[in-house]
Amino acid sequence: MPISRKVHGYISQSSWIRKMFEEGNLLKKQYGAGNVFDFSLGNPSVEPPVEFKETLRTIAGEDIPGIHGYMSNAGYLETREAIAASVSKEHGISLNADHVIVTCGAAGALNVICKVFLEPGDEVLIPTPCFLEYRFYVDNANGVATFVKTKADFSLDLNAIRDALTEKTKIFLINSPNNPTGKVYDEASIRGLAELLEERSRAYGRDIYLVSDEPYRDIVYDGITVPSLLKAYRNSMIATSYSKSLSLAGERIGYLAVNPGISDFEEVMSGLILYNRTLGFVNAPALMQRVIAKIQGVKINVGEYGRKRELLCDGLSSIGYEFSRPDGSFYLFPRTPIKDDIEFVRALQKRRILTVPGSGFGGPGYFRIAFCVDDATIINSMGGFGETFKEYR
Ligand SMILES: Cc1ncc(COP(=O)(O)O)c(C=O)c1O
């Protein structure tokens, strides 16, 4: 076998999301794109804001000697300053450029964090359902991903978390608004979590770090705000990106923001900057860094996703599907009317509706609908959602 046994195994169990997306492409060839209802991939459907496009054009037209060369591995100072100012404002905690590293998306930031913090065998505890790519990021750093269930309404279960933390837990990783559930963890649960992690850090005699993966932070509904983890817990970091908040997923631009109060700050930053380079990113894309520096505070029109959420939720609840309305993100995670979520997703697929089984997120008995699609896809899929539901009742 040319590739390692481990990778060979991982390929076969890797992303359900990608699997459904590829199968969807085959169906689209067969039946035409308009006849396939593809809710498989979290690829933003709302266009990037006009401010982004204009700034990109202006910056691309500038002729500055040396501008295409290497830079500081942490990113341009101007970009880090701009991000630090935004994070300070949003989180009510004072950061400067030294606390920020510009990264290749949230995925890049998470890989850097895992590599820098984990000793082989150290655990990263993650509430489920969750984005299961985390397993790979943790494994890349020879860590072990461990999981703890959320409550029935997908909120944090602090008792279960207390039981799941061990002397080997180095990182607690949360994602709010959550992919796949759309849940935003509320202020009280974040406060409770912070107290628990502080108490367990003392009990184990070593720090547990809180990492907040928050690429959906700006995509929230009904006036909900996302509590700040930086403010709640000293040993904390944010890993995030503009993939969803500006619809720039393909541009690979994001950042890592470190709490100024984190233990051994200087060494932590040196490690993170080193690995932003040596994991092969070297630095985040230069052109995007220059654009981002100029458009802090600009966001996509979240109202468009809000409208899609209403269309989908109203349609599915009138059929009889059960779910919690998402607080944020562009995912809905309904219960499958039968226990076997894979069978149910296959049944939907027969009606050319592509979704992802909850098992692909550590949430069996549910399925994920990514509603970052045209309104027509939502409206025209309702017949198929209805027929499949009736088939299993
Ligand atoms: C929860 C979560 N974290 C991280 C990522 C990776 O995002 P990025 O494009 O910023 O690397 C995604 C992408 O879908 C995601 O859903």
Side-chain angles (χ1 to χ4, degrees):
M1 199 186 297
I3 62 172
S4 84
R5 248 181 275 281
K6 184 167 90 175
V7 174
H8 179 77
Y10 281 177
I11 290 171
S12 62
Q13 34 156 306
S14 88
S15 180
W16 261 104
I17 304 173
R18 286 280 160 184
K19 205 180 291 183
M20 295 309 286
F21 179 66
E22 300 303 343
E23 290 184 20
N25 283 340
L26 291 179
L27 283 177
K28 282 175 196 166
K29 262 194 203 138
Q30 216 177 331
Y31 295 97
N35 297 312
V36 177
F37 311 106
D38 188 352
F39 299 97
S40 61
L41 198 62
N43 207 5
S45 57
V46 172
E47 272 298 290
V50 63
E51 292 90 334
F52 167 78
K53 294 182 184 178
E54 282 170 1
T55 310
L56 176 61
R57 262 185 238 114
T58 308
I59 284 181
E62 288 171 357
D63 198 1
I64 305 170
I67 197 70
H68 301 295
Y70 287 121
M71 67 181 77
S72 153
N73 303 122
Y76 288 125
L77 178 62
E78 185 200 357
T79 309
R80 290 184 290 122
E81 279 172 349
I83 293 172
S86 299
V87 175
S88 302
K89 197 166 147 209
E90 176 134 13
H91 291 257
I93 170 171
S94 184
L95 270 73
N96 62 41
D98 294 341
H99 305 115
V100 174
I101 299 171
V102 197
T103 62
C104 291
L110 290 166
N111 272 283
V112 169
I113 291 170
C114 288
K115 193 74 187 172
V116 169
F117 280 86
L118 301 181
E119 298 284 357
D122 273 353
E123 293 172 359
V124 177
L125 182 59
I126 309 163
T128 55
C130 71
F131 177 60
L132 272 185
E133 293 287 289
Y134 292 149
R135 281 177 314 183
F136 298 112
Y137 306 164
V138 173
D139 180 75
N140 288 344
N142 297 317
V144 178
T146 57
F147 300 97
V148 57
K149 277 196 187 140
T150 49
K151 292 184 184 166
D153 66 353
F154 303 126
S155 60
L156 293 176
D157 184 341
L158 295 181
N159 289 328
I161 294 171
R162 164 177 270 279
D163 291 344
L165 288 165
T166 76
E167 288 173 351
K168 291 194 152 189
T169 310
K170 189 71 179 281
I171 293 174
F172 188 80
L173 171 56
I174 70 169
N175 168 227
S176 166
N178 183 266
N179 174 10
T181 65
K183 187 79 185 169
V184 170
Y185 305 134
D186 67 12
E187 190 87 48
S189 61
I190 295 300
R191 229 178 299 124
L193 176 68
E195 279 165 20
L196 176 59
L197 295 183
E198 270 159 25
E199 186 262 306
R200 287 289 88 193
S201 294
R202 275 195 303 275
Y204 297 138
R206 73 169 201 163
D207 291 330
I208 301 171
Y209 293 85
L210 181 55
V211 175
S212 177
D213 175 31
E214 46 188 63
Y216 302 95
R217 184 179 190 87
D218 293 331
I219 304 176
V220 281
Y221 310 109
D222 307 328
I224 284 175
T225 50
V226 183
S228 168
L229 260 101
L230 283 186
K231 207 156 179 198
Y233 190 70
R234 182 176 62 83
N235 279 316
S236 60
M237 282 161 276
I238 294 174
T240 191
S241 73
Y242 300 94
S243 292
K244 322 283 170 165
S245 63
L246 287 176
S247 297
L248 300 181
E251 301 294 352
R252 312 309 306 136
I253 184 80
Y255 64 87
L256 199 167
V258 177
N259 193 312
I262 204 167
S263 304
D264 302 310
F265 173 75
E266 304 286 335
E267 196 178 23
V268 165
M269 289 313 288
S270 303
L272 293 170
I273 293 168
L274 175 67
Y275 275 90
N276 202 40
R277 177 173 95 226
T278 57
L279 280 175
F281 308 119
V282 182
N283 56 251
L287 183 60
M288 283 302 132
Q289 290 200 41
R290 293 166 62 210
V291 177
I292 289 303
K294 298 261 184 295
I295 57 166
Q296 287 298 306
V298 172
K299 287 165 191 160
I300 43 125
N301 180 2
V302 175
E304 283 198 43
Y305 289 128
R307 191 189 62 243
K308 294 173 198 299
R309 179 185 76 140
E310 294 312 296
L311 269 178
L312 183 65
C313 290
D314 292 350
L316 292 184
S317 73
S318 67
I319 292 168
Y321 284 93
E322 289 172 27
F323 52 82
S324 316
R325 240 162 227 258
D327 303 323
S329 81
F330 38 58
Y331 305 109
L332 184 70
F333 203 57
R335 242 177 230 289
T336 44
I338 48 166
K339 214 167 159 219
D340 186 342
D341 51 309
I342 297 175
E343 183 184 337
F344 188 72
V345 161
R346 289 285 177 219
L348 284 172
Q349 197 180 349
K350 286 196 191 119
R351 291 180 172 87
R352 301 191 298 280
I353 298 174
L354 301 164
T355 60
V356 183
S359 303
F361 303 93
Y366 293 83
F367 66 114
R368 190 191 78 170
I369 304 174
F371 58 84
C372 41
V373 295
D374 289 346
D375 290 8
T377 303
I378 299 174
I379 294 164
N380 296 333
S381 66
M382 284 302 142
F385 272 117
E387 284 167 23
T388 318
F389 188 81
K390 278 195 202 107
E391 194 185 317
Y392 285 98
R393 291 210 76 199

